[in-house]
Amino acid sequence: MTTLVATDVPGVCAAPPEPDLTPEEVVRRAERLAAGLVARQAETEQRTYYAADTHEDFARAGLYRILVPRRYGGYEFGAETFLKVTMALSRGCPSTGWMYCLGAAHSLAVASLFEERTQAELFADGDFISPATITPSGTARRAPDGGWIVDGTFPYCSGAPYATHFIGHTVIEDEESGGGAEPKLLLFVAPRSEWTMLDDWGRQLGLKGSGSHSVSFRGGRVPAHYAIEATHLSEVDVSAGTPGRALHGNGQYGGGPLSFMLLESAAVAVGMAQGALDAYEELMRSRTTIFTGTSRAEDPDYQYWYGHASGMIATAEAALLHAVRQWEELCAGAPEDFTREEDLRLATICREVLKLAWGAVERHLFPTAGSSAVRSGERIERIWRDMSTQHSHSGIGVLLQSVATREYAKVRFGVTEGSPS
């Protein structure tokens, strides 16, 4: 990774490594890199994360700096560029796309929610890679210096192998009442030096190479300004403004965190489905039907299956890109424009994107690819496993499919807890 040299202005770094790099070029770079990931999928699964040379390629291409603020050596290209890069990498290798996305995305949260001093320290090296988990784990107790001491194990930390930091939620120990009070959450960012990665990933059905290892804290030290009390990342109200919006003068650092998290998942899903369609197209061109011996490309049934899946995936991509543009338009307006209702409405679009992408693979491509094409290790078989695992993810299977859907309707109609049914 490239280390930036600080200027004489505190907390502000020199220009990014390539000051003239454009969003279009960084997407093209991702597409070129993705082409080389297809042949390395089995290797990535066996290792449980993408290779060190792939990581260095991503760093040189500027992929880890897409969402990092420009004042700290990032490119500040925005959400649409980041999601296009995520789609491209997921198309080449689902595990790699997932691991990249869930490691690189959270620079947006840090740049949105934390004060200038914290950002200057966390972004000091320009590249920022941090898993973030939404399920509270472990405990935190206040240190004598006012910071926090964190203990516990945090599972499913996608992006951990090359992470510079970790973002998590934990419960603050209530020392005075002996634990009798209502638990209070702590959102925190911890440097790599304060935790260790466990070798506990790779035995799942899919996404075996996504680097979703657990991380363990044993007396990990978190400075006070690296933590925000009584806060959960998926429930932050940005309508009153955020520190990042004011600091950077860019509304993208004041967008809804929940909808952005789900836009990430939707981008990975679309990329995976596109990869399945690529593999199916190769079969259409290279294989014949069982009974007639004609090319699959000439067979009406295969034409229908391919065409139906292609339309569903194209629709999913179109909905995703329109949703992220809505997200950016809301960010560009006044802070109060990005309400909780808008955050949840965008989440419901992501739900439909995921359903379309999964439906194309599960209903049309996988069942008709042929038994030899879905043997263990074949591309379509791997993508089917990866997408199945994505749908078992609690944030998608539970939060998106039910909780966020109901929450949107409640907010829309002003229903509060205790209202008559």
Side-chain angles (χ1 to χ4, degrees):
M1 295 185 186
T2 303
T3 300
L4 300 177
V5 178
T7 66
D8 56 359
V9 180
V12 179
C13 295
E18 298 177 84
D20 297 327
L21 184 64
T22 64
E24 293 76 19
E25 174 57 23
V26 84
V27 173
R28 283 193 291 268
R29 290 178 180 182
E31 290 171 345
R32 289 194 293 268
L33 289 168
L37 297 175
V38 178
R40 303 186 71 174
Q41 291 179 91
E43 163 203 331
T44 298
E45 285 195 337
Q46 185 175 14
R47 186 187 301 105
T48 71
Y49 53 91
Y50 55 76
D53 63 314
T54 298
H55 168 57
E56 292 300 327
D57 286 342
F58 289 178
R60 281 192 295 270
L63 304 192
Y64 295 127
R65 297 174 184 245
I66 292 172
L67 296 173
V68 174
R70 202 162 182 90
R71 70 184 284 142
Y72 300 124
Y75 292 108
E76 202 170 310
F77 282 153
E80 183 173 347
T81 301
F82 179 77
L83 295 176
K84 285 182 176 179
V85 166
T86 294
M87 275 194 290
L89 298 180
S90 301
R91 185 172 190 164
C93 173
S95 281
T96 297
W98 181 283
M99 177 174 161
Y100 162 77
C101 178
L102 274 69
H106 301 117
S107 53
L108 187 73
V110 169
S112 300
L113 303 180
F114 287 88
E115 62 183 52
E116 182 177 4
R117 174 191 174 191
T118 307
Q119 293 194 35
E121 293 173 9
L122 294 176
F123 292 134
D125 292 327
D127 287 334
F128 181 86
I129 306 170
S130 178
T133 59
I134 61 172
T135 302
S137 299
T139 58
R141 64 185 187 277
R142 200 174 296 275
D145 62 1
W148 300 94
I149 301 174
V150 178
D151 290 284
T153 298
F154 297 73
Y156 303 109
C157 301
S158 303
Y162 301 118
T164 60
H165 296 80
F166 168 73
I167 299 173
H169 299 80
T170 191
V171 175
I172 298 173
E173 288 185 347
D174 187 351
E175 297 176 348
E176 293 184 2
S177 64
E182 186 73 20
K184 185 164 72 170
L185 284 179
L186 184 75
L187 169 65
F188 68 93
V189 185
R192 180 74 185 232
S193 60
E194 301 305 312
W195 50 269
T196 57
M197 186 184 84
L198 304 183
D199 183 17
D200 63 351
W201 189 252
R203 295 185 295 275
Q204 293 69 21
L205 173 67
L207 294 172
K208 294 175 182 286
S210 64
S212 302
H213 301 254
S214 299
V215 304
S216 177
F217 286 79
R218 296 293 180 266
R221 296 276 180 163
V222 176
H225 58 293
Y226 285 23
I228 307 175
E229 296 183 45
T231 300
H232 194 283
L233 190 56
S234 69
E235 298 177 353
V236 173
D237 181 2
V238 297
S239 62
T242 63
R245 177 187 276 266
L247 175 62
H248 303 296
N250 185 338
Q252 80 167 8
Y253 299 119
L258 172 64
S259 50
F260 190 76
M261 282 191 285
L262 296 171
L263 285 165
E264 297 166 32
S265 296
V268 173
V270 172
M272 288 195 283
Q274 290 170 332
L277 191 67
D278 292 340
Y280 198 89
E281 180 171 342
E282 290 179 9
L283 297 173
M284 291 276 287
R285 295 181 183 279
S286 62
R287 296 196 178 182
T288 58
T289 62
I290 296 175
F291 299 111
T292 65
T294 59
S295 165
R296 288 188 180 183
E298 298 174 314
D299 182 81
D301 289 331
Y302 282 98
Q303 291 168 355
Y304 172 80
W305 294 323
Y306 176 87
H308 200 150
S310 178
M312 293 173 73
I313 295 166
T315 303
E317 181 183 16
L320 170 67
L321 293 177
H322 188 55
V324 71
R325 287 163 193 161
Q326 291 180 60
W327 191 90
E328 291 180 326
E329 287 170 4
L330 286 166
C331 289
E336 58 267 23
D337 292 344
F338 216 127
T339 62
R340 179 67 171 170
E341 180 180 334
E342 291 289 358
D343 205 15
L344 290 161
R345 183 184 62 80
L346 290 172
T348 66
I349 298 175
C350 295
R351 179 195 63 216
E352 298 306 313
V353 169
L354 283 153
K355 287 167 63 177
L356 279 167
W358 171 235
V361 174
E362 189 264 343
R363 295 204 306 271
H364 299 290
L365 301 181
F366 182 83
T368 63
S371 58
S372 62
V374 295
R375 291 172 182 160
S376 178
E378 294 293 330
R379 190 175 180 189
I380 288 181
E381 181 270 344
R382 180 176 286 113
I383 293 171
W384 182 87
R385 286 192 287 106
D386 292 339
M387 296 191 80
S388 297
T389 300
Q390 183 187 36
H391 275 258
S392 72
H393 189 284
S394 61
I396 296 167
V398 178
L399 176 63
L400 186 56
Q401 296 294 345
S402 58
V403 177
T405 303
R406 295 193 189 98
E407 186 67 20
Y408 169 67
K410 287 167 62 178
V411 171
R412 178 66 178 171
F413 294 103
V415 177
T416 59
E417 296 298 329
S419 297
S421 57

